[in-house]
Amino acid sequence: MQLSKKFQFLAAGVLALQLAMPVGANAVEQRDYIAPSWVAQADYVALGDSLAHGMNEVGIIGLGYADFVAQALQQDGFITSYNKGFAYSGYTTKNVLEDIQNDVEKPVTGFGYQSDKVKLRTSIKEAEIITLTAGANDLIPILKESQTTGINAAAMLKASQGAIKNIAAILEEIKKLNPNAQVYVMGN
């Protein structure tokens, strides 16, 4: 049985298209949220003030930068847990430092934890990624006062130096608890 050259050309063309076109071209993308086997998954803890807590531009607590970082890392399968439960609006560097020193226990605000409350020092010990956002609330009272009395440079300098000292102490505490953690300090 002889096939015409036109038919052979048509059959070869259809076969080539089938091989060239991906089988799942019309399929919905599926994500498994699991990192490749050569990537170690991490635990992420966010510490600090309203920015880490999720204060938005209209003063309502919702999704903040820490949530967006966690979502991006989770989508790529790089984290197994996330907690921003140690971040609170109004927190100063002194509040964060005292929480670490007193090993406070607070509710988990995130995912991947076995219980609904966790101690801060344990969270720091287990975290591979830690973000710290604090310092603005150390200066805000002085700035508010300066609206009526004028800028007090000495008070600003003292508050700034206190915040820097507290951030250094926070980082030292974190390093003692977990020298391998990647710590990112966010300015605000």
Side-chain angles (χ1 to χ4, degrees), residues 81-103:
S81 70
Y82 159 63
N83 185 13
K84 69 173 185 178
F86 297 106
Y88 282 92
S89 295
Y91 254 32
T92 64
T93 56
K94 183 178 179 183
N95 296 128
V96 175
L97 180 59
E98 288 173 347
D99 278 2
I100 295 171
Q101 291 169 337
N102 296 326
D103 195 19

Side-chain angles (χ1 to χ4, degrees), residues 138-156 159:
D138 295 65
L139 304 176
I140 287 175
I142 296 164
L143 293 172
K144 284 183 179 178
E145 183 181 311
S146 72
Q147 292 176 340
T148 56
T149 63
I151 294 177
N152 182 340
M156 287 292 291

Side-chain angles (χ1 to χ4, degrees), residues 61-139:
I61 298 298
L63 296 178
Y65 85 87
D67 299 296
F68 297 124
V69 168
Q71 285 174 358
L73 291 171
Q74 183 188 31
Q75 285 176 351
D76 291 335
F78 293 121
I79 61 172
T80 54
S81 70
Y82 159 63
N83 185 13
K84 69 173 185 178
F86 297 106
Y88 282 92
S89 295
Y91 254 32
T92 64
T93 56
K94 183 178 179 183
N95 296 128
V96 175
L97 180 59
E98 288 173 347
D99 278 2
I100 295 171
Q101 291 169 337
N102 296 326
D103 195 19
V104 297
E105 182 177 61
K106 295 195 177 179
V108 172
T109 305
F111 59 83
Y113 283 79
Q114 299 296 324
S115 63
D116 57 346
K117 285 190 170 186
V118 66
K119 288 194 168 264
L120 180 51
R121 293 175 78 84
T122 301
S123 291
I124 291 172
K125 287 176 186 176
E126 294 174 354
E128 286 78 25
I129 301 169
I130 300 170
T131 54
L132 171 65
T133 308
N137 293 318
D138 295 65
L139 304 176

